[in-house]
Amino acid sequence: MAFWNKNVPNSSSSSSSKCFPILGLLSLILLHPTTTTTTTSFANAIRVVAIQKPTYDDIPSFREAPAFRNGNSCSSRDVDKIQIVMPVDANYIRGTMAAVLSILQHSTCPENTSFHFLSIHLEPEIISLINSSFPYLSYKIYHFHPNRVRGKISKSIRQALDQPLNYARIYLSDILPEGVHRVIYLDSDIIVVDDIAKLWGVDLGDKVLAAPEYCHANFTNYFTDTFWSDVNLAKTFEGRRPCYFNTGVMVMDLDEWRKGGYAQKIEEWMLIQKQRRIYQLGSLPPILLVFAGNIKAVDHRWNQHGLGGDNLEGKCRGLHPGPISLLHWSGKGKPWLRLDARKPCTIDYLWAPYDLYRSSRIALEE
């Protein structure tokens, strides 16, 4: 893990290429690297669309993050940039800011990381927050119009899963410029505790998508009896060994996604869902229907998911055995909400060191 910039004086001699065992994870991620300087550029929002616009009071303020600089071995070529896509809105901005900090903090070459944020409400306040907290960050914000999925979203077991922005990942090949050929898509409720370049370097081979697979999970649970009882629908997975994968962490080849018309294929399943009710979980099942059993498997360390509990109660869960590179609070429980309510799970204390939120109490003290 790149917990320390190897060019910072008095830091450790080099960034370790090994992940520390989970017993030492909490103490290690409490460390923050020495502040340095870096360079970057900004891109303004495309246009403002007022759809259930959150008020300014809904958007919190944040502290400025440290600046992180590349090591001498880092490339300066644009072709070597790591392209990361994340959703951003007023409800999840706190998670997004923490995720960005964690990625930069543990990157050997943080200046080689470019962010692409997806938003429905292109709020000037959110853009200002990103600029003030990460003044050296290289990023662009793209508008995702909810009309793109109007009439295609079916009600799921949790309201948050029904939000249009949750479906934006399906349309990345249309939203991002054609010059962006490959991306890492990340949900906003994650923390990275390893060098993101390791995930970026995954060899996709002839696959369009890479993600950790969980073949021990009961795959039948992700679809209703209506689906499995229909012979024609159940034949969808013939010739494949379908396994569950979480769509909150994916490496995606956008060129191949575009060529294969995968957005349209996923939309076809969304339309069938409107007629037949073949699944319960938002944007995940239609992506599974298209890709399960036909992705590049990635080490499980890159998505320690389910830390937010289930989708109904969000009860506390522990860590799965094994090394960890990415922590993911998928499920109903979000660490910032549980911490604010003073009802945190133990695992939420692993997220807290990356929280840049400036509460009114802290602001008054400063």
Side-chain angles (χ1 to χ4, degrees):
M1 298 182 200
F3 282 101
W4 292 88
N5 188 319
K6 62 183 178 182
N7 283 342
V8 177
N10 300 322
S11 69
S12 57
S13 58
S14 63
S15 297
S16 173
S17 61
K18 298 180 180 179
C19 283
F20 295 93
I22 188 59
L23 290 177
L25 180 61
L26 177 56
S27 60
L28 285 169
I29 66 172
L30 290 173
L31 300 175
H32 292 273
T34 304
T35 302
T36 59
T37 58
T38 185
T39 58
T40 190
S41 61
F42 303 118
N44 291 327
I46 299 171
R47 60 193 176 103
V48 175
V49 178
I51 303 175
Q52 296 181 343
K53 179 179 177 180
T55 65
Y56 183 77
D57 291 338
D58 293 332
I59 302 175
S61 63
F62 296 87
R63 301 184 300 278
E64 182 176 335
F68 302 93
R69 184 171 61 189
N70 279 357
N72 292 333
S73 63
C74 296
S75 170
S76 60
R77 301 185 306 166
D78 287 342
V79 70
D80 294 321
K81 296 284 187 182
I82 299 173
Q83 311 291 341
I84 298 176
V85 181
M86 299 183 71
V88 61
D89 65 9
N91 293 325
Y92 280 79
I93 183 65
R94 193 166 163 188
T96 302
M97 302 288 267
V100 170
L101 175 59
S102 73
I103 292 168
L104 297 176
Q105 180 169 322
H106 298 292
S107 292
T108 302
C109 302
E111 292 178 90
N112 289 2
T113 304
S114 294
F115 289 85
H116 305 265
F117 297 118
L118 310 176
S119 179
I120 289 178
H121 312 286
L122 292 174
E123 294 299 325
E125 294 86 1
I126 288 182
I127 297 170
S128 177
L129 286 177
I130 296 173
N131 288 342
S132 61
S133 292
F134 298 101
Y136 304 100
L137 190 69
S138 173
Y139 79 92
K140 295 180 181 179
I141 296 185
Y142 303 85
H143 178 244
F144 179 69
H145 203 293
N147 282 346
R148 187 66 189 262
V149 289
R150 191 178 301 279
K152 300 173 185 175
I153 297 177
S154 301
K155 185 176 181 180
S156 65
I157 62 174
R158 184 159 63 91
Q159 186 177 5
L161 301 177
D162 302 337
Q163 301 307 307
L165 191 59
N166 195 42
Y167 289 79
R169 71 196 78 190
I170 297 169
Y171 303 100
L172 296 185
S173 64
D174 299 329
I175 298 171
L176 302 185
E178 291 190 2
V180 180
H181 306 288
R182 173 186 172 119
V183 300
I184 298 175
Y185 176 87
L186 298 173
D187 278 345
S188 295
D189 51 0
I190 63 98
I191 289 295
V192 176
V193 292
D194 200 353
D195 193 341
I196 196 69
K198 297 176 184 178
L199 180 59
W200 179 254
V202 168
D203 182 5
L204 284 170
D206 62 348
K207 305 301 182 184
V208 180
L209 188 156
E213 281 187 317
Y214 302 90
C215 295
H216 63 278
N218 188 345
F219 191 76
T220 59
N221 289 340
Y222 293 94
F223 303 95
T224 64
D225 291 340
T226 299
F227 176 85
W228 294 114
S229 62
D230 188 303
V231 176
N232 292 323
L233 293 178
K235 284 182 179 179
T236 300
F237 296 110
E238 281 190 356
R240 292 189 270 166
R241 187 198 172 198
C243 295
Y244 162 74
F245 64 92
N246 183 280
T247 55
V249 179
M250 299 184 290
V251 181
M252 304 169 67
D253 185 328
L254 297 190
D255 291 336
E256 293 302 317
W257 188 286
R258 190 178 297 109
K259 290 177 185 177
Y262 287 105
Q264 291 72 33
K265 292 177 180 179
I266 294 170
E267 282 184 334
E268 290 173 4
W269 283 111
M270 292 167 63
L271 294 176
I272 292 175
Q273 161 73 355
K274 295 287 288 186
Q275 301 167 357
R276 303 286 304 277
R277 194 66 179 173
I278 58 175
Y279 55 78
Q280 307 281 356
L281 285 173
S283 64
L284 168 65
I287 297 177
L288 292 179
L289 284 163
V290 173
F291 285 105
N294 192 29
I295 70 170
K296 174 70 174 184
V298 176
D299 194 294
H300 288 178
R301 71 193 307 149
W302 284 105
N303 196 349
Q304 177 87 204
H305 67 288
L307 303 182
D310 60 26
N311 282 298
L312 297 176
E313 299 182 42
K315 293 182 178 180
C316 295
R317 288 183 179 176
L319 292 168
H320 305 297
I324 298 172
S325 294
L326 184 148
L327 298 156
H328 187 186
W329 278 260
S330 58
K332 185 177 181 180
K334 303 306 173 188
W336 56 92
L337 296 178
R338 295 193 296 212
L339 286 164
D340 285 355
R342 298 186 179 182
K343 296 180 180 179
C345 300
T346 302
I347 193 67
D348 298 338
Y349 291 109
L350 295 177
W351 180 90
Y354 302 96
D355 186 13
L356 291 172
Y357 174 59
R358 186 197 302 270
S359 70
S360 57
R361 179 180 60 82
I362 293 175
L364 287 171
E365 291 174 351
E366 292 178 347

